[in-house]
Every structure is written in structure tokens, then in C-alpha cells.
Amino acid sequence: MKSVYIRGNASLYGEVTIQGSKNAALPIMAAALLVPGVCVLRNCPRIADVEYMCRILESIGCRVDREGREIRIDAAQLSDSRLPREYVTRMRSSVMLMGPLLGRLGEVSLSHPGGCVIGDRPIDLHVKTLSRMGAACRDDGTQLSASVSGLRGTSLRLDYPSVGATENVIMAAVTADGVTCLENCAQEPEIGWLCDFLIHCGAQIEKKSPGRLLIRGQTGLHPCTYTIPADRIVAGTYLCACLAAGGEALLKGAPEGENEALERTARRMGAGLERRQDSLLVKRTGPLLSPGEVETGSFPAFPTDLQSPLLVAMAQAEGESSMRETVFNGRFGVVEELNRMGAGIEVQKDTARVPGGRRLAGGRVRAAELRGGAALVIAGLCAQGETLVENRSYVDRGYEDICRDLRLLGACVQDG
Ligand code: EPZ
């Protein structure tokens, strides 16, 4: 298994261009299934999850051509509604193919994506909303299948603003007969980007108010060329790296207005943030201060995907702090490894109490999931001595090349 080797205890100085967004690219690739023709997606991140999605699309009849960060998806001739188990079990977000396949073929079947180390990953909200649109869903606990003669637009309210369920309903609604009014939907920026892509293809989607969408179905969709926006979680990860290790980093292309909860927290911790055209300058040269209480939630609250990276800065900050995780019930798994580096974090139920003031010590640690793996790399940047982060393939699912990017910020990191 590949690793990341880090020589720590050095501040960051440099500039890095932020890659295309994983969590915008994946639903947009799924939405390309709705378009009987060739959609061209530019600035797609070169990461494992995008590769998995390409293979799933090819397995159901799409022609997919990749050239660098450009992906051409021809969904004119779909041939299968069964998603390959090999990729579904590796990539949870394949569940968002249900909406498009019900819209195009009237049927879909996939193995249950199952849980993962960040917590339970049920799909009840996906099933409930698609059923309300007329789909007959059958779930035997391992295999899920759904079929419909024609999706019907309707009024829906999500029990929880699930990102994936919101994306599934949007994609189902653009092909449904009639109008769909969706309430309490997720407001993450990736929802906006998905709607923007579909509107570029001819869909009629209106944001009536925050968390409320109106979607007119069967408007007829045509191919388009679309540029994937920058990845706010990757930008936020490198913001946390500079906050934790200190120094000055220019995050080129960092999206504006998509990380405000993190930016407010970073300023509380002593960072200076300055917007420079399409970039964000992050500077932390003074003391690292406790942020007090931080709580994750659905957008615009503090993002769960940046919870682990921020913990690394909190562990070193002057003064106690706490992190409450309200989105995924298993997202403190990385704490055990951080504590082996001296973080001193105590987890009780959904809250991590961080005493702060710790000097991390380098060592051999193991990634078990994507954002926790990125947090371990950040910990290695701050730690005294050398750190080896094993199982870096988890990190490669969401970061094009974390070693390349951190070296551009002046870090001493190598592919192990
Ligand atoms: C998306 O996952 C992201 N993935 C996640 O990023 C992100 O952490 C998450 O949204 C929250 O922002 C992609 O976009 C590919 P959810 P998703 O449905 O759609 C519960 C990363 O690191 N829930 O909003 O799976 C669920 O258990 C990944 O890039 C149900 O109860 O997230 C969780 O507690 C990790 N029933 C909460 O909602 C359902 O049917 C949030 O899940 C669906 C979800």
C-alpha cells in the first residue's frame, strides 16, 4: 500500500492551485446520464472516485473518453440498468445514479452501498423520495432495485437535508411528468453546481428560497460543455494545514463564499485571510488560539468533511476546545491515530474534547478513510520528526496529489 512520508515541524510558504471538486463532479457525471448525447466536462479532478464513476457509466452503456481533466460522456445508448457491485461497494455516491436511471430507463438495481468507517450510510431518504415520485423500490438488505413506468412530479419534504438524496430527487424530477417542489433540501454548494449544469442542459430549476427548489420536468435536455468548479473541501483542507503548521499559503482558485464557517473559525484561531481576485491568501504567523466550541452540520454550518483536518489545529492551539459531530456517527475514527501522535483528544459520544497546547510527535500512522487520512498528513506537517501515513489510497480518492500540492506549499513530503 502506498504511503506519504513527511518531515514535520516546518511552516508552509507557497501557492497551490485548487483542483476540481470531487463532490460536484460525481453528481454532474451522474446527471450526464439524463442527456441523450455527448456532454463535455472540464476541470474534472484526476482522482479514484471519478475513475470509478467513469467505469460505472461505461458498464451501463455510456461511451466515456478521458483526456487529462476533460471527460466526454456519451449517454445516447444506455444498455443496462444494473450497477456493477465492484464499484458500488467502493463508492457510496453511486446511489445517486438511481434518479437518472429511473428517469432514462425506468429501472435500476444496485447492491446496497453499506456503511463505512465514517458512520452509518443509510439510503432510506433516497428510497422514500423516489417512491413518492412513483418508483416501486425493493430492498432485501443487500440488493436494491427500483422500477417505474414514468416518474411523477410531486411536492416533497426531506426529513433531513441529505446531499445525496437531494441530488437524486433533482435528477429524477427533471425527467418526471409535472412539477416537483422540494423542501428542506441540502444547500451545499454542490447542489447549486448540479442545478447549474442541468440548467445548461435545458432543465428548468428554480431556487424559491434557501432549501426550497421548484423543478419542471420533461423540458427536454441537450448536451453541454461544463467546467467543474474548484473543490471547497480541498481548499479547506489546505487552509487547515496552513492554520495548523503556520506560514502563508496562496490558495489559487479557492471558491469564494463556500467555506465561510471554516473561515470564521480560522480567523478566531489567529489566521489572517485575504481574498485576492480568484484566490485566498491564508496567513498564520502568530499564536494558534482555541476556537472554543465547533459543531458540524449541513451547509452553511461547519462542514463535516473538514472536521478531522481542523482537529489537528485544535490539538495544538492554546486552550481547550471541543468539536461536536452531528452529521456522521463514526467520524472520529482518526482520533485514535492522532492520539498516538500526542493529540490528547477525548471522544465522548458525538463530541471530542480537545485539551490543546500539544506538540505532536511524528510516527507511523494509518489512514482508514479519506478526510481522516488528510488530517494525518496535516498532523505530520506539524509534528516533531518524521511521519509515515500508510494507506494513502484513501487520500487519493479525493485529492489529486496531496504530496505535489503540499510540496508547492513548501512542505517536505514524499510519496512513500
Ligand atoms: C455527501 O455525502 C458527500 N459526498 C460527503 O462527502 C459529505 O460528507 C456529505 O454529503 C455531507 O456533506 C459526496 O457528495 C459524494 P448525506 P452523502 O446524504 O450524500 C444521513 C467526502 O469526504 N442520511 O448528506 O452520503 C446520513 O446517515 C464525503 O467527500 C440518512 O439518514 O451525505 C448522514 O448522517 C464523505 N438517510 C447524513 O444524512 C439517507 O437516505 C448526511 O448524509 C441519506 C443520508
Side-chain angles (χ1 to χ4, degrees):
M1 281 282 228
K2 290 198 300 180
S3 310
V4 179
Y5 166 81
I6 308 141
R7 187 170 305 135
N9 197 27
S11 298
L12 298 180
Y13 288 92
E15 55 185 59
V16 64
T17 299
I18 301 302
Q19 71 182 56
S21 165
K22 165 176 92 77
N23 292 349
L26 292 174
I28 287 172
M29 290 173 76
L33 276 180
L34 295 167
V35 183
V38 180
C39 286
V40 179
L41 305 179
R42 292 191 173 131
N43 194 38
C44 295
R46 287 182 294 204
I47 54 175
D49 276 17
V50 166
E51 187 54 33
Y52 295 154
M53 184 61 90
C54 287
R55 296 198 190 155
I56 292 176
L57 296 180
E58 284 171 332
S59 72
I60 55 177
C62 291
R63 184 185 155 84
V64 180
D65 297 303
R66 300 186 273 301
E67 199 175 324
R69 294 189 176 93
E70 180 171 295
I71 296 179
R72 299 165 59 82
I73 299 171
D74 183 351
Q77 306 294 335
L78 297 184
S79 57
D80 203 340
S81 61
R82 290 164 302 169
L83 298 181
R85 175 181 173 72
E86 178 191 358
Y87 297 118
V88 170
T89 47
R90 274 199 274 190
M91 191 177 68
R92 291 249 338 124
S93 47
S94 39
V95 71
M96 71 174 84
L97 289 162
M98 291 182 71
L101 282 173
L102 285 169
R104 276 295 299 278
L105 300 179
E107 59 181 11
V108 60
S109 69
L110 65 157
S111 53
H112 227 274
C116 62
V117 288
I118 64 171
D120 300 334
R121 305 295 291 272
I123 55 172
D124 57 314
L125 299 179
H126 297 252
V127 171
K128 189 173 176 182
T129 42
L130 293 172
S131 303
R132 286 284 315 282
M133 298 179 77
C137 299
R138 291 165 296 285
D139 180 358
D140 64 9
T142 49
Q143 192 70 12
L144 177 69
S145 58
S147 59
V148 67
S149 55
L151 289 164
R152 290 191 310 274
T154 184
S155 291
L156 292 166
R157 179 178 175 77
L158 280 175
D159 299 338
Y160 175 89
S162 153
V163 171
T166 299
E167 289 162 346
N168 241 331
V169 173
I170 290 168
M171 291 188 273
V174 297
T175 62
D177 178 13
V179 177
T180 297
C181 178
L182 183 57
E183 310 240 345
N184 194 36
C185 64
Q187 300 177 56
E188 273 69 4
E190 293 76 26
I191 304 297
W193 294 118
L194 171 63
C195 293
D196 191 46
F197 167 75
L198 287 167
I199 289 166
H200 274 76
C201 294
Q204 289 185 30
I205 303 173
E206 221 182 309
K207 182 176 170 182
K208 301 303 282 183
S209 59
R212 192 159 173 262
L213 291 174
L214 199 69
I215 303 155
R216 294 185 195 295
Q218 292 182 346
T219 53
L221 299 178
H222 54 72
C224 82
T225 295
Y226 195 78
T227 298
I228 300 297
D231 191 314
R232 65 186 172 102
I233 302 301
V234 170
T237 302
Y238 297 156
L239 191 163
C240 289
C242 184
L243 179 67
E248 188 171 312
L250 185 67
L251 307 182
K252 294 161 72 177
E256 190 164 2
E258 298 188 355
N259 270 331
E260 290 181 355
L262 168 67
E263 290 172 12
R264 282 196 300 275
T265 306
R267 287 194 179 94
R268 269 208 316 274
M269 296 182 74
L273 303 177
E274 186 187 327
R275 179 57 59 176
R276 287 199 175 158
Q277 284 133 7
D278 70 337
S279 302
L280 180 67
L281 182 68
V282 185
K283 192 171 178 177
R284 202 277 291 172
T285 48
L288 185 55
L289 308 173
S290 160
E293 294 179 355
V294 183
E295 179 170 302
T296 69
S298 53
F299 195 88
F302 188 92
T304 176
D305 293 348
L306 292 172
Q307 178 253 90
S308 301
L310 189 74
L311 276 182
V312 180
M314 291 165 69
Q316 303 170 91
E318 295 170 9
E320 184 169 321
S321 57
S322 70
M323 173 68 79
R324 182 165 179 253
E325 170 60 53
T326 70
V327 180
F328 288 111
N329 61 8
R331 206 156 205 181
F332 283 129
V334 71
V335 166
E336 188 180 337
E337 294 297 276
L338 290 175
N339 284 347
R340 291 181 55 225
M341 298 176 73
I345 299 169
E346 280 169 47
V347 175
Q348 277 162 4
K349 296 199 180 95
D350 64 357
T351 301
R353 196 181 65 77
V354 188
R358 300 301 176 104
R359 290 292 301 137
L360 301 179
R364 196 184 186 105
V365 289
R366 191 162 291 169
E369 41 87 16
L370 167 54
R371 305 302 175 186
L376 291 172
V377 173
I378 295 173
L381 296 175
C382 307
Q384 298 275 1
E386 299 171 347
T387 298
L388 191 70
V389 179
E390 297 180 326
N391 296 347
R392 108 182 239 158
S393 57
Y394 287 107
V395 180
D396 293 345
R397 290 191 52 181
Y399 299 83
E400 267 194 359
D401 186 340
I402 199 163
C403 291
R404 172 202 68 198
D405 288 350
L406 292 174
R407 275 198 298 272
L408 287 168
L409 294 176
C412 183
V413 293
Q414 300 297 330
D415 298 296

